[in-house]
mmCIF file of all heavy atoms in Angstrom:
data_model
loop_
_atom_site.group_PDB
_atom_site.id
_atom_site.type_symbol
_atom_site.label_atom_id
_atom_site.label_comp_id
_atom_site.label_asym_id
_atom_site.label_seq_id
_atom_site.Cartn_x
_atom_site.Cartn_y
_atom_site.Cartn_z
ATOM 1 N N LEU Z 204 17.911 1.068 -10.945
ATOM 2 C CA LEU Z 204 19.045 1.802 -10.438
ATOM 3 C C LEU Z 204 20.128 1.854 -11.526
ATOM 4 O O LEU Z 204 20.141 1.076 -12.443
ATOM 5 C CB LEU Z 204 19.597 1.146 -9.162
ATOM 6 C CG LEU Z 204 18.594 0.984 -8.015
ATOM 7 C CD1 LEU Z 204 19.218 0.247 -6.846
ATOM 8 C CD2 LEU Z 204 18.028 2.317 -7.597
ATOM 9 N N PRO Z 205 21.091 2.803 -11.441
ATOM 10 C CA PRO Z 205 22.154 2.885 -12.436
ATOM 11 C C PRO Z 205 22.908 1.559 -12.581
ATOM 12 O O PRO Z 205 23.450 1.263 -13.605
ATOM 13 C CB PRO Z 205 23.067 3.991 -11.888
ATOM 14 C CG PRO Z 205 22.099 4.877 -11.140
ATOM 15 C CD PRO Z 205 21.160 3.953 -10.515
ATOM 16 N N SER Z 206 22.975 0.758 -11.509
ATOM 17 C CA SER Z 206 23.624 -0.530 -11.569
ATOM 18 C C SER Z 206 22.859 -1.542 -12.398
ATOM 19 O O SER Z 206 23.371 -2.621 -12.713
ATOM 20 C CB SER Z 206 23.777 -1.112 -10.136
ATOM 21 O OG SER Z 206 22.490 -1.404 -9.631
ATOM 22 N N GLY Z 207 21.603 -1.218 -12.762
ATOM 23 C CA GLY Z 207 20.749 -2.117 -13.524
ATOM 24 C C GLY Z 207 19.829 -2.886 -12.655
ATOM 25 O O GLY Z 207 18.963 -3.595 -13.165
ATOM 26 N N ALA Z 208 20.018 -2.888 -11.376
ATOM 27 C CA ALA Z 208 19.157 -3.653 -10.448
ATOM 28 C C ALA Z 208 17.779 -2.990 -10.351
ATOM 29 O O ALA Z 208 17.638 -1.780 -10.170
ATOM 30 C CB ALA Z 208 19.762 -3.678 -9.066
ATOM 31 N N PRO Z 209 16.705 -3.799 -10.529
ATOM 32 C CA PRO Z 209 15.357 -3.247 -10.404
ATOM 33 C C PRO Z 209 14.868 -3.346 -8.925
ATOM 34 O O PRO Z 209 15.231 -4.227 -8.195
ATOM 35 C CB PRO Z 209 14.514 -4.161 -11.269
ATOM 36 C CG PRO Z 209 15.229 -5.480 -11.186
ATOM 37 C CD PRO Z 209 16.704 -5.156 -11.002
ATOM 38 N N ILE Z 210 14.107 -2.290 -8.546
ATOM 39 C CA ILE Z 210 13.415 -2.334 -7.270
ATOM 40 C C ILE Z 210 11.927 -1.986 -7.551
ATOM 41 O O ILE Z 210 11.660 -1.355 -8.564
ATOM 42 C CB ILE Z 210 13.993 -1.434 -6.208
ATOM 43 C CG1 ILE Z 210 13.944 0.054 -6.684
ATOM 44 C CG2 ILE Z 210 15.425 -1.839 -5.847
ATOM 45 C CD1 ILE Z 210 14.233 1.007 -5.557
ATOM 46 N N THR Z 211 11.060 -2.423 -6.650
ATOM 47 C CA THR Z 211 9.633 -2.138 -6.882
ATOM 48 C C THR Z 211 9.107 -1.241 -5.752
ATOM 49 O O THR Z 211 9.602 -1.302 -4.595
ATOM 50 C CB THR Z 211 8.832 -3.441 -6.915
ATOM 51 O OG1 THR Z 211 9.095 -4.211 -5.723
ATOM 52 C CG2 THR Z 211 9.087 -4.245 -8.155
ATOM 53 N N VAL Z 212 8.183 -0.340 -6.124
ATOM 54 C CA VAL Z 212 7.648 0.663 -5.176
ATOM 55 C C VAL Z 212 6.153 0.605 -5.230
ATOM 56 O O VAL Z 212 5.527 0.582 -6.328
ATOM 57 C CB VAL Z 212 8.148 2.072 -5.549
ATOM 58 C CG1 VAL Z 212 7.561 3.090 -4.620
ATOM 59 C CG2 VAL Z 212 9.684 2.125 -5.577
ATOM 60 N N GLU Z 213 5.510 0.565 -4.097
ATOM 61 C CA GLU Z 213 4.065 0.670 -3.974
ATOM 62 C C GLU Z 213 3.693 1.951 -3.319
ATOM 63 O O GLU Z 213 4.259 2.342 -2.252
ATOM 64 C CB GLU Z 213 3.522 -0.512 -3.101
ATOM 65 C CG GLU Z 213 2.047 -0.595 -2.990
ATOM 66 C CD GLU Z 213 1.348 -1.017 -4.259
ATOM 67 O OE1 GLU Z 213 1.941 -1.625 -5.165
ATOM 68 O OE2 GLU Z 213 0.140 -0.672 -4.360
ATOM 69 N N ALA Z 214 2.797 2.729 -3.924
ATOM 70 C CA ALA Z 214 2.374 4.027 -3.389
ATOM 71 C C ALA Z 214 1.024 3.895 -2.645
ATOM 72 O O ALA Z 214 0.075 3.275 -3.171
ATOM 73 C CB ALA Z 214 2.242 5.062 -4.469
ATOM 74 N N LYS Z 215 0.903 4.439 -1.461
ATOM 75 C CA LYS Z 215 -0.324 4.418 -0.702
ATOM 76 C C LYS Z 215 -0.538 5.776 -0.069
ATOM 77 O O LYS Z 215 0.419 6.532 0.178
ATOM 78 C CB LYS Z 215 -0.246 3.385 0.464
ATOM 79 C CG LYS Z 215 -0.239 1.939 -0.015
ATOM 80 C CD LYS Z 215 -1.565 1.571 -0.559
ATOM 81 C CE LYS Z 215 -1.687 0.126 -0.957
ATOM 82 N NZ LYS Z 215 -2.895 -0.149 -1.668
ATOM 83 N N ASN Z 216 -1.757 6.113 0.207
ATOM 84 C CA ASN Z 216 -2.077 7.372 0.944
ATOM 85 C C ASN Z 216 -2.121 7.103 2.414
ATOM 86 O O ASN Z 216 -2.570 6.038 2.868
ATOM 87 C CB ASN Z 216 -3.426 7.924 0.486
ATOM 88 C CG ASN Z 216 -3.368 8.637 -0.791
ATOM 89 O OD1 ASN Z 216 -2.587 9.552 -0.962
ATOM 90 N ND2 ASN Z 216 -4.195 8.273 -1.763
ATOM 91 N N VAL Z 217 -1.663 8.069 3.211
ATOM 92 C CA VAL Z 217 -1.804 7.987 4.642
ATOM 93 C C VAL Z 217 -3.308 8.129 4.951
ATOM 94 O O VAL Z 217 -4.060 8.735 4.191
ATOM 95 C CB VAL Z 217 -0.959 9.097 5.321
ATOM 96 C CG1 VAL Z 217 -1.552 10.466 5.181
ATOM 97 C CG2 VAL Z 217 -0.737 8.804 6.801
ATOM 98 N N ARG Z 218 -3.735 7.529 6.024
ATOM 99 C CA ARG Z 218 -5.137 7.586 6.415
ATOM 100 C C ARG Z 218 -5.515 8.986 6.843
ATOM 101 O O ARG Z 218 -4.734 9.713 7.450
ATOM 102 C CB ARG Z 218 -5.449 6.649 7.614
ATOM 103 C CG ARG Z 218 -5.197 5.177 7.358
ATOM 104 C CD ARG Z 218 -6.267 4.509 6.518
ATOM 105 N NE ARG Z 218 -7.621 4.561 7.018
ATOM 106 C CZ ARG Z 218 -8.235 3.647 7.744
ATOM 107 N NH1 ARG Z 218 -7.611 2.554 8.027
ATOM 108 N NH2 ARG Z 218 -9.473 3.819 8.164
ATOM 109 N N SER Z 219 -6.734 9.400 6.575
ATOM 110 C CA SER Z 219 -7.287 10.707 6.990
ATOM 111 C C SER Z 219 -7.521 10.671 8.481
ATOM 112 O O SER Z 219 -7.505 9.597 9.154
ATOM 113 C CB SER Z 219 -8.573 10.996 6.275
ATOM 114 O OG SER Z 219 -8.344 11.116 4.895
ATOM 115 N N GLY Z 220 -7.809 11.836 9.055
ATOM 116 C CA GLY Z 220 -8.216 11.930 10.459
ATOM 117 C C GLY Z 220 -7.133 12.506 11.304
ATOM 118 O O GLY Z 220 -6.136 13.089 10.836
ATOM 119 N N THR Z 221 -7.282 12.359 12.597
ATOM 120 C CA THR Z 221 -6.338 12.870 13.560
ATOM 121 C C THR Z 221 -5.712 11.715 14.313
ATOM 122 O O THR Z 221 -6.105 10.566 14.081
ATOM 123 C CB THR Z 221 -7.013 13.842 14.567
ATOM 124 O OG1 THR Z 221 -8.064 13.137 15.233
ATOM 125 C CG2 THR Z 221 -7.605 15.061 13.838
ATOM 126 N N GLY Z 222 -4.757 12.020 15.178
ATOM 127 C CA GLY Z 222 -4.153 11.005 15.978
ATOM 128 C C GLY Z 222 -2.939 10.406 15.235
ATOM 129 O O GLY Z 222 -2.263 11.142 14.472
ATOM 130 N N LEU Z 223 -2.686 9.160 15.474
ATOM 131 C CA LEU Z 223 -1.497 8.512 14.908
ATOM 132 C C LEU Z 223 -1.519 8.575 13.389
ATOM 133 O O LEU Z 223 -2.567 8.485 12.748
ATOM 134 C CB LEU Z 223 -1.427 7.069 15.331
ATOM 135 C CG LEU Z 223 -1.244 6.752 16.836
ATOM 136 C CD1 LEU Z 223 -1.349 5.287 17.097
ATOM 137 C CD2 LEU Z 223 0.072 7.286 17.308
ATOM 138 N N LEU Z 224 -0.304 8.751 12.818
ATOM 139 C CA LEU Z 224 -0.180 8.706 11.367
ATOM 140 C C LEU Z 224 -0.141 7.270 10.953
ATOM 141 O O LEU Z 224 0.679 6.464 11.464
ATOM 142 C CB LEU Z 224 1.134 9.425 11.009
ATOM 143 C CG LEU Z 224 1.283 9.955 9.590
ATOM 144 C CD1 LEU Z 224 0.195 10.906 9.230
ATOM 145 C CD2 LEU Z 224 2.662 10.613 9.449
ATOM 146 N N ARG Z 225 -1.066 6.877 10.062
ATOM 147 C CA ARG Z 225 -1.188 5.474 9.730
ATOM 148 C C ARG Z 225 -1.285 5.263 8.205
ATOM 149 O O ARG Z 225 -1.947 6.028 7.551
ATOM 150 C CB ARG Z 225 -2.428 4.833 10.354
ATOM 151 C CG ARG Z 225 -2.446 4.934 11.870
ATOM 152 C CD ARG Z 225 -3.792 4.621 12.479
ATOM 153 N NE ARG Z 225 -4.746 5.661 12.041
ATOM 154 C CZ ARG Z 225 -6.046 5.409 11.856
ATOM 155 N NH1 ARG Z 225 -6.567 4.235 12.070
ATOM 156 N NH2 ARG Z 225 -6.807 6.388 11.453
ATOM 157 N N ALA Z 226 -0.624 4.225 7.711
ATOM 158 C CA ALA Z 226 -0.753 3.845 6.332
ATOM 159 C C ALA Z 226 -1.466 2.516 6.253
ATOM 160 O O ALA Z 226 -1.137 1.592 7.013
ATOM 161 C CB ALA Z 226 0.630 3.703 5.682
ATOM 162 N N GLU Z 227 -2.462 2.449 5.420
ATOM 163 C CA GLU Z 227 -3.183 1.197 5.264
ATOM 164 C C GLU Z 227 -2.554 0.369 4.138
ATOM 165 O O GLU Z 227 -2.468 0.827 3.012
ATOM 166 C CB GLU Z 227 -4.662 1.459 4.908
ATOM 167 C CG GLU Z 227 -5.482 0.227 4.844
ATOM 168 C CD GLU Z 227 -6.960 0.525 4.645
ATOM 169 O OE1 GLU Z 227 -7.400 1.636 4.927
ATOM 170 O OE2 GLU Z 227 -7.661 -0.384 4.200
ATOM 171 N N THR Z 228 -2.049 -0.802 4.511
ATOM 172 C CA THR Z 228 -1.373 -1.635 3.516
ATOM 173 C C THR Z 228 -2.221 -2.902 3.269
ATOM 174 O O THR Z 228 -1.854 -3.989 3.636
ATOM 175 C CB THR Z 228 0.051 -2.023 4.000
ATOM 176 O OG1 THR Z 228 -0.054 -2.478 5.360
ATOM 177 C CG2 THR Z 228 0.970 -0.848 3.899
ATOM 178 N N GLN Z 229 -3.337 -2.641 2.601
ATOM 179 C CA GLN Z 229 -4.106 -3.779 2.071
ATOM 180 C C GLN Z 229 -4.664 -3.355 0.724
ATOM 181 O O GLN Z 229 -4.804 -2.170 0.417
ATOM 182 C CB GLN Z 229 -5.238 -4.206 3.025
ATOM 183 C CG GLN Z 229 -6.369 -3.267 3.114
ATOM 184 C CD GLN Z 229 -7.463 -3.860 3.995
ATOM 185 O OE1 GLN Z 229 -7.419 -5.026 4.411
ATOM 186 N NE2 GLN Z 229 -8.473 -3.022 4.309
ATOM 187 N N LYS Z 230 -4.963 -4.328 -0.092
ATOM 188 C CA LYS Z 230 -5.444 -4.066 -1.466
ATOM 189 C C LYS Z 230 -6.929 -3.678 -1.415
ATOM 190 O O LYS Z 230 -7.676 -4.039 -0.466
ATOM 191 C CB LYS Z 230 -5.251 -5.323 -2.314
ATOM 192 C CG LYS Z 230 -3.824 -5.668 -2.432
ATOM 193 C CD LYS Z 230 -3.693 -6.986 -3.175
ATOM 194 C CE LYS Z 230 -2.317 -7.573 -2.978
ATOM 195 N NZ LYS Z 230 -2.247 -8.921 -3.466
ATOM 196 N N THR Z 231 -7.365 -2.971 -2.436
ATOM 197 C CA THR Z 231 -8.756 -2.522 -2.528
ATOM 198 C C THR Z 231 -9.688 -3.679 -2.766
ATOM 199 O O THR Z 231 -10.794 -3.710 -2.211
ATOM 200 C CB THR Z 231 -8.901 -1.508 -3.703
ATOM 201 O OG1 THR Z 231 -7.949 -0.466 -3.510
ATOM 202 C CG2 THR Z 231 -10.305 -0.932 -3.765
ATOM 203 N N ARG Z 232 -9.234 -4.614 -3.574
ATOM 204 C CA ARG Z 232 -10.112 -5.748 -3.923
ATOM 205 C C ARG Z 232 -9.543 -7.081 -3.405
ATOM 206 O O ARG Z 232 -8.340 -7.201 -3.288
ATOM 207 C CB ARG Z 232 -10.261 -5.821 -5.456
ATOM 208 C CG ARG Z 232 -11.022 -4.647 -5.999
ATOM 209 C CD ARG Z 232 -10.909 -4.620 -7.564
ATOM 210 N NE ARG Z 232 -11.259 -3.339 -8.081
ATOM 211 C CZ ARG Z 232 -10.415 -2.270 -8.126
ATOM 212 N NH1 ARG Z 232 -9.234 -2.367 -7.656
ATOM 213 N NH2 ARG Z 232 -10.854 -1.113 -8.661
ATOM 214 N N ALA Z 233 -10.397 -8.028 -3.238
ATOM 215 C CA ALA Z 233 -9.987 -9.365 -2.822
ATOM 216 C C ALA Z 233 -10.668 -10.390 -3.706
ATOM 217 O O ALA Z 233 -11.736 -10.189 -4.258
ATOM 218 C CB ALA Z 233 -10.385 -9.619 -1.347
ATOM 219 N N SER Z 234 -9.995 -11.494 -3.832
ATOM 220 C CA SER Z 234 -10.531 -12.642 -4.613
ATOM 221 C C SER Z 234 -11.493 -13.375 -3.680
ATOM 222 O O SER Z 234 -11.174 -13.660 -2.521
ATOM 223 C CB SER Z 234 -9.400 -13.575 -5.028
ATOM 224 O OG SER Z 234 -9.883 -14.801 -5.396
ATOM 225 N N LYS Z 235 -12.631 -13.763 -4.203
ATOM 226 C CA LYS Z 235 -13.614 -14.502 -3.398
ATOM 227 C C LYS Z 235 -13.089 -15.879 -2.963
ATOM 228 O O LYS Z 235 -13.437 -16.393 -1.944
ATOM 229 C CB LYS Z 235 -14.910 -14.696 -4.142
ATOM 230 C CG LYS Z 235 -15.660 -13.401 -4.314
ATOM 231 C CD LYS Z 235 -16.951 -13.582 -5.063
ATOM 232 C CE LYS Z 235 -17.675 -12.259 -5.239
ATOM 233 N NZ LYS Z 235 -18.909 -12.365 -5.927
ATOM 234 N N SER Z 236 -12.132 -16.420 -3.755
ATOM 235 C CA SER Z 236 -11.623 -17.739 -3.467
ATOM 236 C C SER Z 236 -10.411 -17.748 -2.531
ATOM 237 O O SER Z 236 -9.966 -18.795 -2.091
ATOM 238 C CB SER Z 236 -11.259 -18.436 -4.777
ATOM 239 O OG SER Z 236 -10.241 -17.717 -5.429
ATOM 240 N N ASP Z 237 -9.882 -16.562 -2.240
ATOM 241 C CA ASP Z 237 -8.685 -16.479 -1.401
ATOM 242 C C ASP Z 237 -8.853 -15.371 -0.344
ATOM 243 O O ASP Z 237 -8.668 -14.186 -0.645
ATOM 244 C CB ASP Z 237 -7.443 -16.212 -2.247
ATOM 245 C CG ASP Z 237 -6.161 -16.120 -1.481
ATOM 246 O OD1 ASP Z 237 -6.183 -16.381 -0.211
ATOM 247 O OD2 ASP Z 237 -5.125 -15.781 -2.057
#
């Protein structure tokens, strides 16, 4: 921001299909150990 403060943004696609508008907030990959 002009104040110098950083913010972070994550971009995701809305789910396809009909009905409720939904955003999936999970990562594509997972660690086998976690």
Side-chain angles (χ1 to χ4, degrees):
L204 302 176
S206 67
I210 61 168
T211 52
V212 178
E213 184 69 22
K215 292 290 185 187
N216 280 307
V217 73
R218 298 284 301 262
S219 298
T221 59
L223 295 173
L224 201 57
R225 299 168 296 149
E227 184 174 339
T228 48
Q229 73 176 350
K230 299 174 196 169
T231 305
R232 294 168 197 81
S234 164
K235 291 181 182 181
S236 63
D237 180 5

